[in-house]
Amino acid sequence: MHNSEEAAKNTLFSKPFTENPYPAYTSLRESEPVVKLRFPDGQNGWLVTRYEDGLTVLKNPVFIKDMKKVYGSDTGSVFTSNMLFSDPPDHKRLRGLVQKSFTPHKIAGMRSRIQAIADELLDQTSGREEMNLIDDYAFPLPIIVISEMLGVPLEDRDKFRIWSNSIIGASNQESDASVGQHMQEFIQYLKEWFANVREHPGDDMISQLVQSEEQGDRLSEQELYGVVTLMIIAGHETTVNLIGNGLLALLSHRDQLSLLMENPSLIHNTIEEMLRYNGPVEFSTSRWASEDIELNGQTIHKGELVVVALNSANRDESQFKDPDLFDITREKSPHLAFGQGIHHCLGAPLARLEGEIAILSLLQRYPNLKLRGEWSELKWRPGMIVRGVEEVPLSIK
């Protein structure tokens, strides 16, 4: 094993890696693009860092999501009974039940409401010299949107933040003992919520799911937990970190920030480049090989775990010209930030729309904003799923 390769492996999941994983990714793509290692949760598996290999893992049906097929019993949590952790035909059924709420037409029709939410949140910072990007803006905006779609009482949104962080934290070996308690609280909340919805259904997504009967097939209680968990977590986490990481990219590339301010029509391109350059989802969710398969010179045996480093694939030199350059005029980008294949993120159009409105509204309201404090003081969230900072303090005067 080369020294650079050994060094790259040794730094994976460390604090310096969490702060800037890209040098380690570059080294692994060069020396060992399909690498066997131990993940933070204690599992052994393969990490895939190149774009083409990543695409293979995301799209080839040999790589399956349902761990019951691998281990013979359900070793997952109550939250994994959803389309993200299922294979056909279950996947098609579960996705189909939710898909009608995420059609391009339906999402496009939400533009004015999302704009109003962004404006209301920015109004609340009016007259101040400082704001906290995540707490004041990037977190509440998508959680209000998904809460309204699902029918979650708005006063409960902070509870959902705690529960969501806890479930995501479970992917990290440093997660604390409160995770189990938070999961129990969440399940109890959902039980009571579903019971209430059955008695008093509305026109929100949860009411539709609770009552749904597609081709004679209802969602089981377990599947209902799984779908709602996925909607709440995926429905806001991606956007929170897209806004946070995206603004940081602009603030550290002032020429690109100026370009966007002069040409607001570049916002669509800007969002795509933000997703590619430092995307909100660090790694794909787990897949397992359903049979032995060769991948870039390595034999992945049946039952072995495989994870794609999405942010590494999005900086692959063979796929993107000057991949470490943040360039909002880059040609259409085939990045993997939302995955690929049948598990491509259902909420991608919503995340893009929220990101566009959030970033542009913020910059137009506060054209002189800048980071308050030092870049080195930013705290990146640990774990295996999201890539994002805990807070971005801004001067907005």
Side-chain angles (χ1 to χ4, degrees):
M1 187 180 284
H2 301 298
N3 288 341
S4 61
E5 178 188 321
E6 186 65 61
K9 279 180 74 170
N10 289 341
T11 59
L12 287 174
F13 315 120
S14 64
K15 189 169 181 287
F17 172 84
T18 303
E19 289 169 0
N20 180 14
Y22 296 104
Y25 286 151
T26 301
S27 179
L28 283 174
R29 283 195 307 273
E30 288 171 2
S31 57
E32 198 175 6
V34 180
V35 61
K36 197 158 197 181
L37 46 79
R38 181 178 288 266
F39 291 108
D41 61 3
Q43 290 191 88
N44 292 313
W46 296 91
L47 184 68
V48 175
T49 53
R50 281 189 192 163
Y51 184 93
E52 281 300 328
D53 298 333
L55 208 54
T56 299
V57 173
L58 296 175
K59 296 182 83 167
N60 191 327
V62 163
F63 297 101
I64 58 175
K65 301 295 292 285
D66 188 347
M67 63 182 74
K68 292 193 290 293
K69 293 179 184 171
V70 180
Y71 296 113
S73 62
D74 192 356
T75 57
S77 77
V78 69
F79 305 115
T80 56
S81 295
N82 60 51
M83 59 201 176
L84 191 60
F85 300 99
S86 62
D87 303 306
D90 278 348
H91 172 267
K92 188 174 182 182
R93 174 177 65 88
L94 292 168
R95 189 172 174 112
L97 288 165
V98 179
Q99 200 150 15
K100 60 189 77 167
S101 300
F102 289 91
T103 62
H105 178 71
K106 202 147 192 172
I107 299 302
M110 295 170 65
R111 178 178 285 276
S112 60
R113 177 61 189 137
I114 296 170
Q115 184 65 62
I117 293 166
D119 291 341
E120 286 164 22
L121 290 168
L122 290 171
D123 288 347
Q124 290 169 23
T125 64
S126 183
R128 286 162 43 178
E129 295 189 0
E130 301 171 347
M131 74 180 278
N132 290 325
L133 178 70
I134 308 297
D135 278 356
D136 292 337
Y137 191 57
F139 168 75
L141 187 147
I143 201 76
I144 291 170
V145 173
I146 200 67
S147 295
E148 290 183 357
M149 287 178 75
L150 290 169
V152 179
L154 208 50
E155 63 269 18
D156 292 334
R157 72 177 191 230
D158 284 331
K159 290 183 195 169
F160 281 97
R161 184 182 195 177
I162 293 166
W163 293 330
S164 169
N165 282 340
S166 204
I167 293 166
I168 280 181
S171 72
N172 172 30
Q173 61 186 5
E174 296 169 26
S175 61
D176 58 41
S178 63
V179 169
Q181 182 196 332
H182 287 154
M183 288 186 176
Q184 287 306 315
E185 288 171 7
F186 189 32
I187 292 167
Q188 189 56 40
Y189 179 95
L190 293 178
K191 274 185 180 166
E192 292 169 13
W193 183 18
F194 297 157
N196 184 53
V197 165
R198 285 191 177 97
E199 292 292 317
H200 311 284
D203 57 1
D204 53 78
M205 196 197 303
I206 294 305
S207 297
Q208 290 163 13
L209 288 172
V210 166
Q211 300 174 93
S212 182
E213 195 154 4
E214 295 283 299
Q215 298 157 347
D217 197 0
R218 279 185 186 277
L219 283 168
S220 69
E221 193 83 357
Q222 187 98 344
E223 288 170 341
L224 212 46
Y225 292 140
V227 169
V228 173
T229 305
L230 180 62
M231 292 297 105
I232 290 166
I233 295 178
H236 82 271
E237 279 288 359
T238 308
T239 310
V240 172
N241 297 305
L242 166 57
I243 297 167
N245 298 0
L247 188 69
L248 287 173
L250 285 172
L251 290 176
S252 59
H253 298 81
R254 305 298 297 198
D255 60 326
Q256 300 298 295
L257 177 58
S258 300
L259 191 57
L260 178 59
M261 298 289 277
E262 290 161 18
N263 305 278
S265 62
L266 281 171
I267 188 61
H268 309 295
N269 251 43
T270 300
I271 295 298
E272 296 310 302
E273 182 66 346
M274 288 172 173
L275 288 163
R276 184 202 69 82
Y277 180 76
N278 194 17
V281 182
E282 184 86 45
F283 301 104
S284 71
T285 44
S286 301
R287 284 165 173 77
W288 290 269
S290 61
E291 59 187 61
D292 289 1
I293 185 170
E294 189 94 357
L295 189 66
N296 207 331
Q298 298 281 17
T299 300
I300 298 172
H301 294 288
K302 181 179 178 178
E304 288 188 324
L305 170 68
V306 186
V307 172
V308 180
L310 299 173
N311 281 350
S312 174
N314 289 337
R315 296 265 192 121
D316 188 335
E317 304 78 0
S318 66
Q319 184 66 37
F320 303 97
K321 188 184 174 196
D322 299 323
D324 294 327
L325 195 67
F326 181 69
D327 176 10
I328 67 170
T329 65
R330 192 181 288 274
E331 292 297 305
K332 186 168 170 58
S333 169
H335 63 71
L336 302 182
F338 290 120
Q340 271 289 350
I342 63 168
H343 291 282
H344 183 267
C345 178
L346 189 63
L350 178 60
R352 284 182 164 108
L353 182 60
E354 289 173 332
E356 287 176 16
I357 291 170
I359 294 286
L360 215 48
S361 301
L362 177 66
L363 294 177
Q364 288 170 344
R365 182 75 66 103
Y366 298 120
N368 299 317
L369 63 75
K370 53 183 179 290
L371 187 71
R372 198 171 82 246
E374 299 300 317
W375 286 85
S376 59
E377 292 169 356
L378 292 171
K379 287 187 180 154
W380 290 86
R381 294 168 61 182
M384 272 288 296
I385 302 177
V386 300
R387 173 155 181 78
V389 282
E390 291 177 8
E391 192 48 87
V392 181
L394 297 173
S395 298
I396 55 177
K397 196 171 180 185

